[in-house]
Amino acid sequence: MVDKFDIVQVRKDFPILDQQVNGAPLVYFDNAATTQKPQVVIDALNQYYTQDNANIHRGLHTLAERATTGYELTRTKLKDFLNAPSTDQIIFTSGTTAGINLVAQTFGRANFSKGDVILVSNLEHHSNIVPWQMNAQETGAEVQVIPVDEVGVLDMEAYGQLLTSDRVKLVAVNHVSNAIGTINPIKQMIDMAHHAGAKVLIDGAQSVAHFDIDVQALDMDFFVFSAHKLFGPTGVGVLYGKREILESMPPYQGGGEMIKEVSFSGTTYNELPYKFEAGTPNIADVYAFGFALDYLKSLPADAVWEQEKALLDYASEQLSQIDGLRIVGQAPEKIAVVSFVIDGVHPQDIGVLLDKFGVAIRTGHHCAQPLMARYDLVGTCRASFAFYNTKEEIDLFVKALKRCLMMLS
C-alpha cells in the first residue's frame, strides 16, 4: 500500500506486471476487459482458504463466524464506496451481467407489459441489450435506441424526444462505453428519465475503476458493476437498488438463504439483501474484494485520475502520428481507452502480432456489435489503461505496433 501515488511502488503491488511474455516485458493494455489484482487481494484469497474457509450466516462455529464477518464487511465497505443509504441495498451477484439480468427478470417482468418501452443506447455492451430484448419478447414491451453521433456522444436531443412517450418504463444505459471510452452524462439522463416517470439502470462496469460514484447524489434507481474490473477477483458483482424498488421486486432465484420459512403450504421470503442471494455465494472472492476496496482507498484519487488522463492524452497523440490509423470514438469526455482501426489491416491481425512483442490489447467488436455497425466496422483494436500503466509502456506499444505494420505490409 502507498501513502502517495508512487508509480514504481504501485507497479510492485501488482506482481503479474513483472514478467516477460514471448521474450518481452509484459505491456498489459486490456484493463477494460479485466484489471490486474494487487498482492493484498491475492493474499486475502490465500488467507481465506487457508484459515477461514466455511459457509456463512448459518454456522455457529468459529470459522463460520470469521467467514461471515469478512463477507459482510465487504458489503459494509461497498456501502461506503457507493455512499448507499444502507448495506441492505447492496446485493452480491456473479457480475454486471447477472445484475442486469436480475433486474430484467424481476423488476422487468413485474412492471413491463405490451406497448411499454425500454430505452437503451447505441453505446451498450451486449449484456445491457440482450436481457432487455429477452424481456421484451416475454412481456410485449419494446426496446428503443438512443442514437450516438460520429464522435461517440449520445444524441441528447433524440433522448429527450424518446422520453416524451409516457410508455417509457426504464432507461438502461452505461456510465462509460467499454468499446470507445465515452463518459455519458448520467446525472442529466437520470434527471430527464425521472421527470418522464421512468426508472434508470446504470451499467457501471467501466466507470467504477476510474472515478467516485455516489448513488444518492446521482439519484440512481439501479447500479451494477463487477469486482474484477475494480482490481478485485472474478465471479463477483454488485447490484445497488433503491430500497422501495428492491422490496417491491419478487425473488430472482429460490433456495437457501433467500427464505425465512419454508413449508409445503407456502414459503416466506427473506429480507433485503438476502432475498436476492439464494444459495452458497462466492464467499472467498467477496471476502478478497474488500481488500481491493481498501487498496483503492489508500490511493490519492485525484492523482490516479491525472495519471490515467495523461496516459490517454499521450497514447492518443502517439497513435495519431501513425499513417492510416484512425481513432474511433473521440468524445470530449472519455476514460483511458483508445479504440482504433488501421487502413487495410484486420484488427485481429494486429492483436495477434502485438502479443508476439508482449503487448496485450483487445481486438474485435468488444461485445458492442450494434455500435460497430453504427460505424460500419467489423471491430477495432482497443488499448485500455489503468493507473499502474506508464508512458514508457505506451512507447513500447507504439514501437511494436509500427513493427507489426511493417510485417503486414
Side-chain angles (χ1 to χ4, degrees):
M1 305 243 218
V2 294
D3 295 325
K4 61 180 181 178
F5 192 77
D6 177 348
I7 188 62
V8 174
Q9 180 57 53
V10 164
R11 287 182 63 82
K12 289 179 180 178
D13 292 336
F14 293 82
I16 200 171
L17 300 178
D18 184 22
Q19 65 171 297
Q20 299 257 317
V21 172
N22 294 322
L26 170 65
V27 175
Y28 184 79
F29 285 170
D30 196 18
N31 294 285
T34 195
T35 53
Q36 300 302 340
K37 321 308 171 193
Q39 186 66 54
V40 290
V41 171
I42 299 167
D43 291 344
L45 284 169
N46 184 63
Q47 158 85 16
Y48 175 81
Y49 279 122
T50 56
Q51 298 188 38
D52 298 331
N53 182 44
N55 215 324
I56 58 173
H57 294 143
R58 293 178 292 280
L60 298 178
H61 56 82
T62 298
L63 294 188
E65 290 181 353
R66 290 207 303 247
T68 298
T69 298
Y71 183 89
E72 291 299 334
L73 181 58
T74 297
R75 201 189 306 268
T76 299
K77 292 175 182 178
L78 284 162
K79 169 191 171 295
D80 296 338
F81 181 77
L82 298 174
N83 190 32
S86 75
T87 55
D88 296 348
Q89 294 163 256
I90 304 296
I91 297 162
F92 288 119
T93 69
S94 63
T96 305
T97 300
I100 295 171
N101 276 274
L102 190 160
V103 176
Q105 295 301 314
T106 56
F107 177 82
R109 279 182 172 177
N111 291 279
F112 302 161
S113 58
K114 186 175 178 61
D116 288 339
V117 172
I118 307 160
L119 293 185
V120 302
S121 87
N122 208 159
L123 289 172
E124 301 310 307
H125 188 282
H126 295 164
S127 63
N128 205 21
I129 298 174
V130 179
W132 306 116
Q133 292 176 327
M134 294 169 66
N135 179 275
Q137 290 175 348
E138 294 176 2
T139 64
E142 176 186 355
V143 176
Q144 295 184 6
V145 182
I146 308 163
V148 62
D149 69 15
E150 288 295 328
V151 298
V153 176
L154 289 183
D155 185 337
M156 294 298 289
E157 183 176 348
Y159 175 57
Q161 287 297 314
L162 288 166
L163 285 173
T164 59
S165 169
D166 60 7
R167 296 184 298 132
V168 178
K169 300 299 184 193
L170 180 78
V171 176
V173 65
N174 55 33
H175 193 171
V176 170
S177 165
N178 74 298
I180 59 175
T182 300
I183 301 172
N184 289 320
I186 60 166
K187 175 57 176 170
Q188 180 185 359
M189 297 184 77
I190 292 169
D191 290 346
M192 291 171 67
H194 286 168
H195 183 73
K199 304 299 184 187
V200 184
L201 177 142
I202 299 296
D203 171 359
Q206 296 295 331
S207 62
V208 287
H210 298 285
F211 33 80
D212 292 339
I213 304 295
D214 186 328
V215 294
Q216 293 191 77
L218 291 166
D219 198 19
M220 293 184 180
D221 298 307
F222 299 106
F223 185 66
V224 292
F225 64 96
S226 299
H228 75 95
K229 295 180 189 286
L230 194 58
F231 312 96
T234 58
V236 175
V238 175
L239 164 64
Y240 160 82
K242 286 183 176 175
R243 176 182 291 277
E244 62 273 18
I245 303 177
L246 293 175
E247 289 180 339
S248 72
M249 289 159 45
Y252 180 42
Q253 296 175 316
E257 192 64 38
M258 52 75 66
I259 52 83
K260 276 188 175 180
E261 300 283 344
V262 176
S263 71
F264 287 114
S265 62
T267 293
T268 303
Y269 302 130
N270 208 341
E271 298 174 348
L272 295 175
Y274 308 111
K275 181 173 75 169
F276 296 108
E277 294 182 0
T280 299
N282 188 352
I283 305 167
D285 291 321
V286 169
Y287 173 86
F289 184 29
F291 288 80
L293 296 170
D294 291 340
Y295 179 82
L296 290 172
K297 190 176 180 180
S298 76
L299 299 175
D302 290 345
V304 166
W305 175 253
E306 288 302 319
Q307 167 76 356
E308 293 180 350
K309 185 177 184 304
L311 293 170
L312 173 63
D313 292 344
Y314 186 70
S316 299
E317 177 187 1
Q318 296 301 308
L319 289 171
S320 296
Q321 296 175 24
I322 296 176
D323 290 341
L325 186 148
R326 176 168 62 90
I327 294 175
V328 179
Q330 300 196 55
E333 298 293 330
K334 285 182 60 174
I335 61 163
V337 168
V338 181
S339 206
F340 62 92
V341 292
I342 299 174
D343 292 343
V345 181
H346 196 286
Q348 183 174 327
D349 294 337
I350 294 293
V352 170
L353 288 176
L354 280 173
D355 182 59
K356 304 300 182 185
F357 298 104
V359 179
I361 67 165
R362 184 57 60 105
T363 63
H365 53 65
H366 316 297
C367 295
Q369 286 181 299
L371 181 61
M372 296 298 110
R374 163 67 178 84
Y375 296 126
D376 195 25
L377 299 170
V378 296
T380 68
C381 300
R382 183 188 70 190
S384 50
F385 314 112
F387 55 75
Y388 46 59
N389 291 128
T390 66
K391 290 183 178 180
E392 289 76 16
E393 288 183 306
I394 292 173
D395 290 337
L396 290 173
F397 161 52
V398 172
K399 181 179 179 181
L401 180 57
K402 290 178 179 177
R403 291 179 66 182
C404 293
L405 295 177
M406 289 179 63
M407 294 167 66
L408 290 168
S409 62

